[in-house]
Amino acid sequence: MAAFPRGLPALETVSVEVPEEAVPAYEAALAAVCATVGFFRDEATDVWRVEGVKEVGADDAELGRALVLAEAASGQAAALTRTPTEPDGWLVRTAESFPEQRIGRHFVVRGTHLPPARIAGKIVLALDAGLAFGSGEHGSTRGCLRALERVAYRRPRKIIDIGTGSGILAMAAARLLRRQVLATDIEPWSVRVAEGNVALNRLGRMVTPRLADGWRHRTVRAGGPYDLVFANILARPLCAMARDLTRHLAPGGTVILSGLLRQQARMVIAAHRRVGLVLADTLHEGNWTALVLRAGPRGVSDDRRNRGW
């Protein structure tokens, strides 16, 4: 379980309360300055509290800029609350809010505060309870895991997870498909989290976390073309990356996209159809949608030409 070193300066918890659709944007904002971030749902109001722990007064200007970007990306304004924090108290509260998650037919996600368990017929993934985002509670993550189950029969060989966060999708694919997976993220903090979770699940030979900005990194380019691509980020970045994605997708390759609300699905589908991908499946988890798209058997450009796009 996550722990803070002795002698740590005074800490504070910074938090916002937002609707579910704004959670990813504000989680990213707090992660820019906080070593530990979590989110908690109030079942009575269906409002989510996103909170992180940082040194008192540290990086306040950067936090302010990140919150402005989060408001612009999500369309939701949120007031920031600050409270003095004892490290142990925050971690205990995080653990209590992270119960076992059973997702689809195959997956069980358990926090490190729970005793290790083997469950017959299930793939059990352990995640640090102090790093709750990407734990499987969020609808976008659950949709991607269900989509993975639906496309597993295609037995993809080369797999990449763009925007890996906790590493949960990369680890799930490695365990279910028994393939190596490249897991990338633009945030150094997320890469460290993924590395910790990969080690915790003894998947160091199967999952390789890397700091990379989308498709630009040489390791990402060298690893393609990919048979299966995960991208669980946000709707507008998904649209912006569509053309680069197709350049690195193998003929007949599959793409699982999420991080988008139901009302954003049409926009994301249209952006990927314009570059030659075909919608194969749609999965809903609450307000969130996961899309499964596919390239033609002769590659994206041939498929687009055959369909008159």
Side-chain angles (χ1 to χ4, degrees):
M1 189 166 177
F4 295 92
R6 294 181 180 179
L8 191 71
L11 300 179
E12 63 178 351
T13 293
V14 290
S15 63
V16 294
E17 293 189 351
V18 294
E20 183 179 18
E21 60 268 23
V23 168
Y26 279 94
E27 184 275 341
L30 296 192
V33 299
C34 296
T36 313
V37 179
F39 58 90
F40 312 89
R41 177 173 174 263
D42 186 324
E43 295 186 2
T45 63
D46 202 30
V47 171
W48 290 74
R49 185 178 73 258
V50 185
E51 63 178 44
V53 176
K54 66 185 222 24
E55 294 182 19
V56 173
D59 300 316
D60 281 347
E62 184 177 353
L63 176 59
R65 291 191 293 269
L67 291 172
V68 170
L69 292 175
E71 180 177 346
S74 67
Q76 297 286 339
L80 184 71
T81 300
R82 301 174 184 264
T83 56
T85 300
E86 292 293 332
D88 290 344
W90 189 86
L91 290 171
V92 167
R93 190 165 69 254
T94 302
E96 290 174 347
S97 299
F98 184 8
E100 177 182 280
Q101 303 290 313
R102 296 199 174 215
I103 305 170
R105 302 186 308 275
H106 295 88
F107 300 110
V108 178
V109 181
R110 291 171 60 86
T112 51
H113 61 295
L114 299 173
R118 290 187 177 183
I119 303 174
K122 301 291 185 182
I123 294 172
V124 180
L125 299 173
L127 294 183
D128 193 322
L131 303 166
F133 194 78
S135 66
E137 291 184 299
H138 199 275
S140 62
T141 305
R142 297 176 68 90
C144 286
L145 290 173
R146 289 173 52 217
L148 170 61
E149 292 182 330
R150 294 192 184 186
V151 305
Y153 74 95
R154 298 177 66 84
R155 305 301 301 170
R157 298 185 63 84
K158 292 188 176 182
I159 305 169
I160 187 169
D161 178 16
I162 298 285
T164 195
S166 69
I168 184 173
L169 299 180
M171 294 189 299
R175 290 283 303 276
L176 181 65
L177 301 171
R178 299 182 182 179
R179 302 291 192 195
Q180 293 186 336
V181 182
L182 178 60
T184 72
D185 205 287
I186 196 172
E187 294 288 346
W189 178 83
S190 293
V191 175
R192 291 195 297 272
V193 170
E195 288 173 340
N197 285 325
V198 167
L200 181 65
N201 288 272
R202 299 181 180 179
L203 286 169
R205 295 184 179 181
M206 301 293 290
V207 179
T208 304
R210 285 286 184 271
L211 181 67
D213 184 1
W215 296 102
R216 300 176 184 177
H217 196 278
R218 61 181 179 275
T219 300
V220 174
R221 296 197 303 268
Y226 296 96
D227 303 298
L228 176 60
V229 176
F230 293 98
N232 181 18
I233 44 179
L234 293 171
R236 294 193 182 280
L238 287 174
C239 294
M241 292 168 59
R243 189 168 299 280
D244 285 338
L245 184 156
T246 61
R247 291 170 179 162
H248 296 85
L249 189 62
T254 301
V255 183
I256 297 175
L257 305 179
S258 195
L260 55 137
L261 299 169
R262 288 193 183 208
Q263 60 266 33
Q264 296 172 319
R266 184 174 295 182
M267 172 182 71
V268 175
I269 293 168
H272 289 80
R273 279 180 170 162
R274 283 195 292 270
V275 294
L277 296 183
V278 178
L279 180 66
D281 204 353
T282 303
L283 299 90
H284 299 297
E285 282 279 348
N287 292 327
W288 297 88
T289 294
L291 304 173
V292 180
L293 299 108
R294 193 163 295 144
R298 293 178 297 281
V300 172
S301 60
D302 286 346
D303 189 71
R304 180 171 57 243
R305 183 164 53 249
N306 291 341
R307 292 175 180 270
W309 290 337

